[in-house]
């Protein structure tokens, strides 16, 4: 057993220091304002859920779950995503009161890491869920709000890559006879490991219509032409996907930021229809993802359509421009006898919009270092003996 040092944190956990926390809070405030103005209501679910419900239904592998046992012997998990708990609440109560239902969240999720690799095990997600609407307009709304939210938060250079879970599932199941080979190729697609797909196709000795589909898709063939070339993939769901794309093409806020990629496959297993990923210039990771998950609420005894998206706050903050709003941080030195005057003076500075720290000067060991944290210093101790 290794010896844990006093300053060590559990694998994948991070401290949020003051400056980053301030950026987080600014982002949350702006995001909540934008989201609520667009008709969504925020919800908070527990950090702990039952393994038998949320843990088993979650779209993540069991190895990614943090598990613990309560004092009643029940297996619990720290929530690994937010869509599944929200589906639980909606099916149990909220959809009976309002349908369609528009919900939003801003909370942390927990996903266990098997080895140190710089990936967080706890991170914050901001997202929307539109429940009870199966229309193409519902999918278009989610895409439109994802783009609008990113712009509201200060990001301009981003791309939304759109695919369809039903289309790729149909292609894998129809064009590859072996279930084992289907899973292999699916994993390559999740990883975007197209080189391995080329190697797989070279080694796979049977008739390989999926590779023909893959080449057409990666070559930029339009969605309509792709479905014409592979008519066995044309279903009611994929036809609705064409309607979604046609709607998007008419929306000015989306016209220049989206691209269709039939090879998009999410690591979340519950998607059934449109899926998308958001990428921003300067980030090596997706900023967020979303899509349609019509089957998830069946797990809670309710059959309604559902679509939504989530944004990774940590990835977004890495590329957002730093706020340029000027704020004066003032240090106000005082003594015990001057404390009442310091409070009055601090109130005046705060009225002018400054951030004020009142500090007993004799308690500061290194005044030069301490003062570097402030823009202005006012010393009420000067002249005192």
């Amino acid at each position: 057993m290794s010896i844990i040092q006093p300053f060590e944190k559990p694998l994948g956990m991070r401290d949020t220091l003051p400056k980053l926390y301030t950026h987080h809070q600014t982002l949350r405030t702006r995001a909540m304002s934008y989201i609520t103005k667009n008709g969504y209501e925020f919800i908070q679910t527990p950090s702990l859920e039952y393994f038998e419900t949320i843990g088993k239904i979650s779209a993540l592998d069991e190895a990614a779950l943090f598990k613990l046992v309560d004092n009643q012997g029940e297996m619990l998990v720290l929530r690994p995503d937010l869509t599944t708990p929200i589906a639980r609440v909606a099916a149990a109560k909220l959809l009976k009161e309002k349908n369609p239902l528009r919900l939003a969240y801003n909370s942390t999720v927990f996903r266990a890491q098997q080895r140190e690799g710089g990936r967080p095990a706890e991170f914050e997600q901001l997202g929307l869920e539109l429940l009870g609407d199966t229309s193409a307009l519902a999918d278009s709304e989610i895409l439109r709000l994802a783009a609008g939210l990113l712009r509201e938060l200060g990001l301009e250079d981003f791309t939304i890559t759109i695919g369809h879970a039903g289309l790729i599932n149909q292609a894998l199941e129809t064009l590859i006879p072996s279930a084992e080979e289907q899973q292999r190729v699916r994993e390559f697609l999740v990883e975007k490991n197209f080189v391995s797909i080329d190697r797989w196709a070279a080694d796979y000795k049977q008739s390989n219509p999926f590779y023909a589909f893959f080449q057409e898709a990666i070559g930029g063939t339009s969605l309509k032409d792709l479905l014409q070339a592979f008519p066995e993939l044309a279903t009611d769901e994929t036809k609705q996907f064409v309607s979604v794309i046609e709607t998007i093409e008419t929306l000015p806020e989306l016209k220049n930021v989206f691209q269709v990629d039939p090879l998009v496959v999410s690591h979340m297993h519950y998607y059934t229809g449109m899926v998308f990923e958001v990428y921003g210039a300067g980030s090596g990771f997706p900023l967020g993802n979303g899509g349609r998950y019509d089957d998830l609420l069946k797990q809670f005894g309710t059959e309604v359509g559902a679509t939504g998206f989530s944004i990774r706050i940590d990835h977004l903050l890495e590329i957002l421009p730093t706020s340029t709003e000027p704020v004066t941080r003032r240090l106000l030195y005082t003594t015990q006898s001057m404390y009442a005057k310091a409070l009055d003076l601090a109130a005046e500075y705060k009225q002018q919009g400054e951030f004020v720290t009142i500090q007993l000067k004799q308690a500061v060991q290194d005044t030069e270092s301490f003062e570097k944290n402030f823009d202005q210093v006012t010393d009420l101790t000067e002249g005192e003996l």
Side-chain angles (χ1 to χ4, degrees):
M1 180 181 293
S2 62
I3 298 175
I4 298 175
Q5 299 300 317
F7 300 114
E8 285 188 58
K9 302 182 296 295
L11 184 65
M13 297 297 178
R14 295 177 176 175
D15 297 312
T16 302
L17 302 182
K19 286 186 179 179
L20 183 57
Y21 185 88
T22 300
H23 289 318
H24 271 225
Q25 194 58 38
T26 301
L27 184 148
R28 290 185 196 107
T29 301
R30 293 177 65 181
M32 289 185 69
S33 176
Y34 176 84
I35 290 168
T36 52
K37 285 177 182 177
N38 279 281
Y40 285 73
E41 299 174 290
F42 275 82
I43 187 173
Q44 179 74 50
T45 64
S47 298
L48 286 171
E49 297 273 4
Y50 285 115
F51 172 71
E52 287 298 318
T53 54
I54 301 304
K56 286 189 174 179
I57 294 172
S58 169
L60 293 163
D61 292 334
E62 194 171 323
L65 304 179
F66 283 100
K67 300 178 189 175
L68 61 157
V69 179
D70 68 10
N71 58 10
Q72 304 299 314
E74 294 287 351
M75 180 70 74
L76 308 177
V77 294
L78 287 169
R79 62 178 175 230
D81 76 308
L82 283 150
T83 297
T84 310
I86 287 175
R88 171 184 60 75
V89 179
K93 180 177 174 61
L94 298 179
L95 279 166
K96 297 171 185 175
E97 302 170 354
K98 187 178 183 181
N99 188 350
L101 179 65
R102 288 169 169 81
L103 297 174
Y105 57 83
N106 183 192
S107 300
T108 53
V109 298
F110 306 86
R111 298 178 188 173
Q113 302 299 331
Q114 302 304 309
R115 61 185 184 277
E116 185 60 68
R119 297 194 301 176
E122 177 187 10
F123 53 89
E124 189 175 347
Q125 285 187 332
L126 172 70
L128 306 180
E129 310 292 350
L130 173 48
L131 312 173
D133 191 335
T134 59
S135 71
L137 281 179
D139 288 329
S140 301
E141 176 177 318
I142 287 296
L143 289 165
R144 179 175 57 81
L145 292 179
L149 177 60
L150 290 172
R151 290 195 178 100
E152 177 68 18
L153 297 177
L155 190 66
E156 290 294 337
D157 194 357
F158 63 90
T159 301
I160 300 177
T161 303
I162 307 171
H164 193 279
L167 173 62
I168 198 67
N169 289 341
Q170 184 84 350
L172 288 167
E173 294 166 9
T174 304
L175 305 178
I176 302 176
S178 164
E180 182 180 348
E181 296 300 322
Q182 291 170 20
Q183 185 57 32
R184 282 187 66 196
V185 175
R186 182 186 299 279
E187 290 172 2
F188 293 148
L189 290 171
V190 169
E191 298 167 357
K192 294 180 170 46
N193 188 349
F194 295 165
V195 173
S196 289
I197 293 180
D198 289 333
R199 291 173 181 164
W200 167 82
D203 295 338
Y204 194 51
K205 304 303 182 185
Q206 302 181 44
S207 174
N208 200 337
F210 179 83
Y211 191 59
F213 168 84
F214 170 78
Q215 289 180 309
E216 290 287 338
I218 203 171
T221 301
S222 73
L223 185 60
K224 281 187 176 179
D225 290 343
L226 196 60
L227 293 176
Q228 286 178 354
F230 298 88
E232 63 270 48
L233 306 182
T235 64
D236 290 343
E237 285 187 341
T238 55
K239 290 174 185 175
Q240 176 165 310
F241 182 43
V242 173
S243 298
V244 173
I245 300 305
E246 289 174 346
T247 301
I248 292 170
E249 290 172 341
T250 68
L251 301 176
E253 61 264 56
L254 284 172
K255 196 168 185 179
N256 298 319
V257 299
F258 88 96
Q259 60 186 28
V260 179
D261 181 359
L263 300 175
V264 171
V265 178
S266 174
H267 67 285
M268 309 294 280
H269 307 315
Y270 48 54
Y271 289 118
T272 57
M274 175 197 73
V275 291
F276 65 93
E277 295 175 335
V278 183
Y279 295 90
S283 175
F285 303 96
L287 301 181
N289 65 286
R292 178 161 290 281
Y293 52 96
D294 286 349
D295 291 342
L296 179 61
L297 274 84
K298 291 179 184 178
Q299 306 287 331
F300 299 102
T302 301
E303 266 193 74
V304 296
T307 183
F309 77 91
S310 68
I311 297 294
R312 281 281 298 263
I313 298 299
D314 53 345
H315 291 166
L316 182 58
L317 283 171
E318 289 174 357
I319 61 172
L320 279 179
T322 304
S323 173
T324 57
E325 295 179 10
V327 175
T328 299
R329 300 180 183 275
R330 184 178 294 273
L331 171 62
L332 189 54
Y333 280 133
T334 186
T335 62
Q336 188 70 40
S337 62
M338 298 291 287
Y339 190 58
K341 181 178 180 181
L343 288 172
D344 290 339
L345 190 55
E348 294 179 18
Y349 288 133
K350 290 174 188 176
Q351 286 276 13
Q352 299 168 19
E354 295 187 9
F355 295 174
V356 183
T357 298
I358 301 176
Q359 175 61 53
L360 188 67
K361 189 171 186 179
Q362 67 189 54
V364 179
Q365 296 182 5
D366 184 345
T367 56
E368 183 178 354
S369 176
F370 186 62
E371 290 171 9
K372 289 179 180 178
N373 296 283
F374 302 90
D375 303 307
Q376 299 289 337
V377 178
T378 301
D379 192 345
L380 296 181
T381 71
E382 290 179 351
E384 287 200 355
L385 295 177

